[in-house]
Amino acid sequence: MNLMNSSSLACLVGLPICLSLSAPTTVFAQDAAPSSVEGHVEDVVVTAPPADTVEAISQAQATKYQETPQASTVITKSQLEALQITNLLQAQKLEPSLQIRYSNVRNLSINIRGFGAATSNATDGIFGGVPVYIDGVYQPRPGQAIFDIPDLQGIEVLKGPQGTSGGQDSTGGVVNITTALPSFTAQETAEASYGNYNYVQIKGTATGAIADTDWAAFRLSVFGTDRNGYIDNVNGGQKYNDWHDKGARGQILIQPNNDLSIRLVFDYSHINQACCLNLYNGAVTNYANGAAVSNNFFTRIARLNYQPLSANALGNYQTDVNGYTSTAQETEGAAAIINYNINGYTISNVLSYRGWDFHPNNRTDGTIEPQIITNTNGHVTERSVQEELKISTPKGQPVEATGGVFYLYEALYDWGLTTYGSAAGAYYASPTLWATNPALANATYNYLGRQSYDNPKTNEIAPYIQDVWHAAPNFDVTTGLRYSYYDKTMIFRQYQFAAEDLSSFTPAQQAQAIALRNAFIGKNGQYTADTHQGIFSALASASYKFTPDAMGYVTWARGGRGGGPNAVANLPTGAPTTVKPETVNSYEVGLKSAFFDQRLLVNMAAFVMYNQNYITNETSNVGSTPITYLGNAKEAVSRGVELDIRGRPIDDITTYASFTYNDTYFRSFKNSACPYELSYMTTPCDLTGKPLSNTPKFAMATGFEYSHKLDVLESITPKPLVGYFGADFTYQTGTYSNSDDSIYSYIPAYGLLNLHAGVRFEDASWDLSAWAHNALNNHYFINLSAATSIGAGVIGGNVSDPLMVGVTLKAKL
């Protein structure tokens, strides 16, 4: 390979690549044993740093999937530490194919390459298409996995269906989160951070042998994070978008010999936030055809003599809501992870229990001041058990195989409460009713309420097998097969209640009021929904090593996402009570390569994915309130190219860059609910050819860190000092945050710059750093919609964090 030509071309891409091409010594390689398959191309064997250093751990993480014939991006321990990343929500900025849309700890979505979940609205009876694991333990609800995790070691993003490898089936891909193991060497660490908005984070860890044994070790980690809110309420009281997160994680590792290891894990966390307001951003007055919106927002608030704040949510981060809002989440869990080797075979077992509780206390409509909605709460209790047994054949044979059975039981209970306040009559009544009989309007809507309950239960079992055939010295064939069976049951109940007495009105007026109430929040009733669904998943891949450090591959993978009950209050007439499963066929071609003695890693992939029965949200206006429920689009497509680069041109500089072009769209969706601007139409809308929500067409992440020994200070410090600084930049093009592609849900393109700098002892015993997240103080929406809970075309959304600055001190004893 010609260095000059390669570097000239690479410099057209960006700084990380240019820097990575400037030196010829080793960095990313690990000690590797030659393959025992006769004639198989051996990996380059080089000297690695000590195995327990951050550098060595990161090297192993960066190269882990270099011989796996599917695209992946690994966020290493060194990246996590450099950028003060303590959870998956923060880590998404380093992987542009991973998109997390967050409203609150219950309503959030995780997508890879556009597939996983259509929007952030929670789905009680259906799991997401991007499973998240912590140390191999499946987290059925995404809120269990995206917040602070003590001892966070690394994050792996595996792209495309991964079901034949075990665990839960998938559509977009898989996220594996790893934490540090217990150590037999005693050590204590402490970390403290302070930043603006009174941000305080404390973390501590202790690890070591149990009772001075050489076969049992423990690890105990605790953390706490607090941050004040940054959204001002002009009515006084709460500041919104604060953060209070506490938790602990305990582990016991038992290794009586080299063939058996038992890892016991226990964890608990509690999160409390005053969050997730839909900041007012204007209202729609005319539909797309120019017709005026009847009984629009401004008409309604005129009856209340209310003037909203300026529709400049991104400029001032202000609200004027009345009432109180908070959400709390508690997670708990226990797991036993066992690995046993016998005659070269490996038997692995994961048995886990997970508990999740969501406690909202939202006593406001969350957008404007008048008392329109006084409660929007859905209390959730979830319990799940995972059992997975896996057996792998000896390594180094012509055929290597892994097979197993995955089982999951989950029971979820959701108690919903919605109530309306003293301004509901004036706001929701039709102009005619309000003009002719305001007393009946108030009696119909004021203090009206609805309680609901659903209890989806899942039993899932899935046998699977995957094998690799070393067909020739440089040529491998990988195949896999899986069958997932889902048995889901649910009962849904709802009933309404009202404080206003209708006895003073005529029978005709009483009948009118009851009909309006039933259309508005649904009449009393219940339904059951049972699903019994099976999905076949498969894998076929061929890979060829052109050189010891360059591998090309082609892969076909099929995966799925089970459907289930459609648990929605006031489900519109004609909407399905169950949702079909979705299946994905993914085709990928890629190249994984290393250059300059593995100083530079370059991985690229091109893909196209076809998703049948894509599960997405639809919205209908029932009365004057938008109701969202689940349906199936006939087919959706995701296609694109990805490029991941890691480089270390000299020992003092590390760089990375990831680029994703991802074109997602509905290939066939002729029966969609209409976006708000087309809601005057009396027939379904056709979204065929329209883009999927929450997936930017282009996204990138790039960054570097420079570190250098401060020799000038050697004479005055007890240990050698290292200074460092770095930056990362992320960018994404505009996206729609509503699945109906409403123009009022469009979020323009934005970029984020993060900076950090610090000084540490060479042995990392002390480390002091300063950092700035969103250093340019960009304000942008995370979600935006004209279908807010108060309807009438009010546009509102959740906003991003502003500039966050602070310092962090770490100590290792």
Side-chain angles (χ1 to χ4, degrees):
M1 181 176 185
N2 184 287
L3 176 59
M4 182 62 68
N5 291 342
S6 300
S7 60
S8 298
L9 176 62
C11 284
L12 296 175
V13 179
L15 173 65
I17 308 174
C18 299
L19 293 174
S20 300
L21 291 171
S22 63
T25 54
T26 298
V27 65
F28 280 115
Q30 310 167 68
D31 289 327
S35 171
S36 61
V37 180
E38 186 176 355
H40 197 73
V41 174
E42 297 179 3
D43 293 330
V44 177
V45 180
V46 297
T47 301
D52 60 347
T53 66
V54 172
E55 181 185 19
I57 292 170
S58 299
Q59 289 176 7
Q61 293 171 328
T63 57
K64 179 178 178 180
Y65 293 99
Q66 282 302 102
E67 296 192 18
T68 302
Q70 277 186 302
S72 60
T73 297
V74 178
I75 301 170
T76 65
K77 182 177 177 65
S78 60
Q79 287 178 289
L80 296 173
E81 292 192 355
L83 301 179
Q84 300 82 40
I85 292 172
T86 57
N87 58 56
L88 182 60
L89 193 61
Q90 297 168 345
Q92 68 168 323
K93 65 186 177 184
L94 297 182
E95 173 28 341
S97 293
L98 175 69
Q99 294 290 326
I100 301 175
R101 285 292 180 264
Y102 171 79
S103 294
N104 57 43
V105 294
R106 169 162 159 73
N107 293 287
L108 55 94
S109 66
I110 302 176
N111 287 279
I112 297 175
R113 293 178 172 174
F115 292 152
T119 74
S120 58
N121 290 340
T123 55
D124 285 353
I126 298 174
F127 304 120
V130 175
V132 180
Y133 304 87
I134 302 177
D135 294 328
V137 175
Y138 176 52
Q139 314 292 310
R141 300 294 154 176
Q144 296 171 316
I146 72 165
F147 301 102
D148 285 351
I149 300 171
D151 286 329
L152 185 61
Q153 186 95 336
I155 298 173
E156 304 166 356
V157 180
L158 311 182
K159 303 167 189 180
Q162 306 284 328
T164 62
S165 300
Q168 179 64 279
D169 210 347
S170 56
T171 56
V174 161
V175 176
N176 293 323
I177 299 171
T178 57
T179 68
L181 283 165
S183 172
F184 289 91
T185 301
Q187 187 178 83
E188 293 83 37
T189 64
E191 180 179 323
S193 299
Y194 181 78
N196 58 338
Y197 300 102
N198 203 29
Y199 170 83
V200 177
Q201 183 177 76
I202 305 294
K203 296 194 291 184
T205 298
T207 187
I210 297 176
D212 295 324
T213 66
D214 61 358
W215 55 269
F218 79 95
R219 190 176 192 95
L220 178 62
S221 304
V222 297
F223 69 91
T225 304
D226 291 283
R227 187 194 72 190
N228 292 343
Y230 51 79
I231 296 178
D232 290 321
N233 190 339
V234 299
N235 284 326
Q238 283 184 299
K239 282 185 176 288
Y240 297 100
N241 283 22
D242 65 353
W243 194 273
H244 307 282
D245 188 2
K246 309 288 187 295
R249 185 176 182 85
Q251 299 184 65
I252 296 174
L253 178 64
I254 301 172
Q255 287 184 314
N257 53 56
N258 291 332
D259 293 324
L260 176 64
S261 70
I262 302 172
R263 186 181 184 185
L264 306 177
V265 184
F266 309 90
D267 67 274
Y268 172 82
S269 68
H270 176 88
I271 297 170
N272 191 77
Q273 296 175 277
C275 80
C276 318
L277 298 176
N278 274 310
L279 291 196
Y280 174 71
N281 200 51
V284 184
T285 57
N286 293 87
Y287 295 114
N289 64 354
V293 175
S294 176
N295 201 24
N296 67 40
F297 173 68
F298 298 107
T299 299
R300 299 182 189 206
I301 61 174
R303 305 169 194 158
L304 301 170
N305 295 317
Y306 168 69
Q307 180 64 42
L309 295 177
S310 171
N312 185 26
L314 291 182
N316 54 34
Y317 277 15
Q318 287 186 339
T319 184
D320 63 350
V321 297
N322 276 317
Y324 178 85
T325 183
S326 73
T327 59
Q329 168 184 285
E330 293 176 344
T331 62
E332 60 190 29
I337 305 166
I338 303 171
N339 290 282
Y340 181 59
N341 297 316
I342 179 171
N343 297 326
Y345 289 84
T346 301
I347 302 174
S348 304
N349 194 82
V350 176
L351 175 63
S352 70
Y353 157 81
R354 300 299 302 162
W356 178 62
D357 295 277
F358 175 69
H359 306 295
N361 187 9
N362 298 318
R363 289 178 277 165
T364 172
D365 60 55
T367 307
I368 60 176
E369 181 179 11
Q371 293 292 293
I372 298 169
I373 300 175
T374 52
N375 274 291
T376 53
N377 299 317
H379 293 264
V380 179
T381 294
E382 184 267 359
R383 301 291 183 264
S384 65
V385 175
Q386 170 192 346
E387 163 59 31
E388 183 170 10
L389 177 65
K390 182 184 298 186
I391 302 175
S392 300
T393 63
K395 299 295 183 182
Q397 300 301 310
V399 177
E400 301 166 0
T402 298
V405 178
F406 172 80
Y407 171 76
L408 176 71
Y409 169 78
E410 185 196 51
L412 184 146
Y413 306 91
D414 182 2
W415 293 270
L417 173 65
T418 302
T419 60
Y420 295 86
S422 59
Y427 187 83
Y428 288 110
S430 68
T432 301
L433 179 60
W434 185 253
T436 59
N437 198 339
L440 181 61
N442 286 330
T444 300
Y445 295 103
N446 287 355
Y447 310 111
L448 184 64
R450 173 184 62 217
Q451 287 187 324
S452 62
Y453 167 80
D454 62 79
N455 65 342
K457 296 180 181 179
T458 298
N459 279 282
E460 176 190 352
I461 189 166
Y464 58 88
I465 187 169
Q466 184 171 306
D467 67 86
V468 180
W469 173 35
H470 302 293
N474 303 331
F475 181 60
D476 289 344
V477 176
T478 304
T479 59
L481 187 65
R482 172 194 181 105
Y483 179 74
S484 303
Y485 177 76
Y486 301 86
D487 178 11
K488 298 186 179 184
T489 62
M490 185 196 73
I491 185 170
F492 185 93
R493 300 188 181 102
Q494 70 177 27
Y495 72 90
Q496 63 173 254
F497 55 89
E500 295 288 342
D501 185 9
L502 298 176
S503 60
S504 61
F505 298 97
T506 68
Q509 290 171 333
Q510 293 179 30
Q512 180 184 5
I514 292 172
L516 289 172
R517 288 175 178 176
N518 290 341
F520 185 56
I521 63 170
K523 57 186 177 182
N524 298 344
Q526 72 175 44
Y527 64 90
T528 59
D530 299 335
T531 59
H532 306 276
Q533 300 171 344
I535 300 175
F536 277 104
S537 300
L539 172 69
S541 181
S543 60
Y544 182 78
K545 273 199 167 184
F546 303 103
T547 71
D549 293 321
M551 182 191 77
Y553 66 88
V554 291
T555 295
W556 166 74
R558 175 182 169 88
R561 177 188 181 197
N566 207 345
V568 177
N570 197 17
L571 189 68
T573 302
T577 58
T578 61
V579 181
K580 300 175 184 176
E582 66 179 68
T583 56
V584 169
N585 286 283
S586 173
Y587 303 87
E588 182 177 313
V589 57
L591 176 67
K592 298 189 175 185
S593 56
F595 303 99
F596 315 120
D597 293 333
Q598 299 201 7
R599 281 266 176 181
L600 174 66
L601 299 181
V602 179
N603 297 333
M604 57 188 71
F607 62 89
V608 60
M609 304 169 70
Y610 299 99
N611 187 320
Q612 283 76 41
N613 291 324
Y614 175 69
I615 299 173
T616 183
N617 282 350
E618 298 184 3
T619 301
S620 293
N621 286 325
V622 177
S624 55
T625 302
I627 302 297
T628 299
Y629 56 94
L630 292 176
N632 294 96
K634 185 176 181 180
E635 188 173 23
V637 175
S638 173
R639 59 186 181 182
V641 292
E642 297 167 337
L643 176 64
D644 281 324
I645 303 167
R646 293 178 186 272
R648 190 162 187 173
I650 59 176
D651 289 341
D652 289 347
I653 296 178
T654 58
T655 66
Y656 64 88
S658 294
F659 305 91
T660 296
Y661 174 81
N662 194 183
D663 181 24
T664 61
Y665 60 94
F666 291 104
R667 194 176 188 185
S668 179
F669 194 15
K670 298 181 181 299
N671 196 37
S672 168
C674 292
Y676 189 85
E677 62 270 19
L678 299 178
S679 58
Y680 62 87
M681 297 177 61
T682 58
T683 58
C685 283
D686 185 354
L687 289 186
T688 300
K690 299 292 186 179
L692 302 187
S693 61
N694 297 327
T695 307
K697 185 160 286 189
F698 174 77
M700 61 170 285
T702 185
F704 77 94
E705 182 175 277
Y706 173 76
S707 61
H708 188 72
K709 191 174 179 180
L710 303 177
D711 298 327
V712 69
L713 299 177
E714 275 191 3
S715 61
I716 60 173
T717 59
K719 300 176 183 178
L721 278 177
V722 175
Y724 59 91
F725 69 89
D728 67 275
F729 179 74
T730 62
Y731 173 82
Q732 69 171 46
T733 54
T735 61
Y736 294 98
S737 61
N738 262 23
S739 58
D740 58 16
D741 285 357
S742 170
I743 59 175
Y744 300 108
S745 73
Y746 185 74
I747 298 174
Y750 61 87
L752 300 175
L753 175 67
N754 303 287
L755 305 171
H756 69 278
V759 61
R760 62 173 178 260
F761 286 129
E762 192 173 39
D763 64 359
S765 56
W766 290 90
D767 187 329
L768 177 64
S769 63
W771 42 266
H773 300 160
N774 189 6
L776 301 179
N777 199 26
N778 283 346
H779 290 189
Y780 58 96
F781 281 102
I782 300 172
N783 296 293
L784 188 64
S785 177
T788 59
S789 62
I790 60 175
V794 175
I795 305 169
N798 306 125
V799 293
S800 65
D801 287 347
L803 167 68
M804 298 288 177
V805 296
V807 295
T808 297
L809 178 64
K810 301 178 184 178
K812 183 188 298 183
L813 305 178

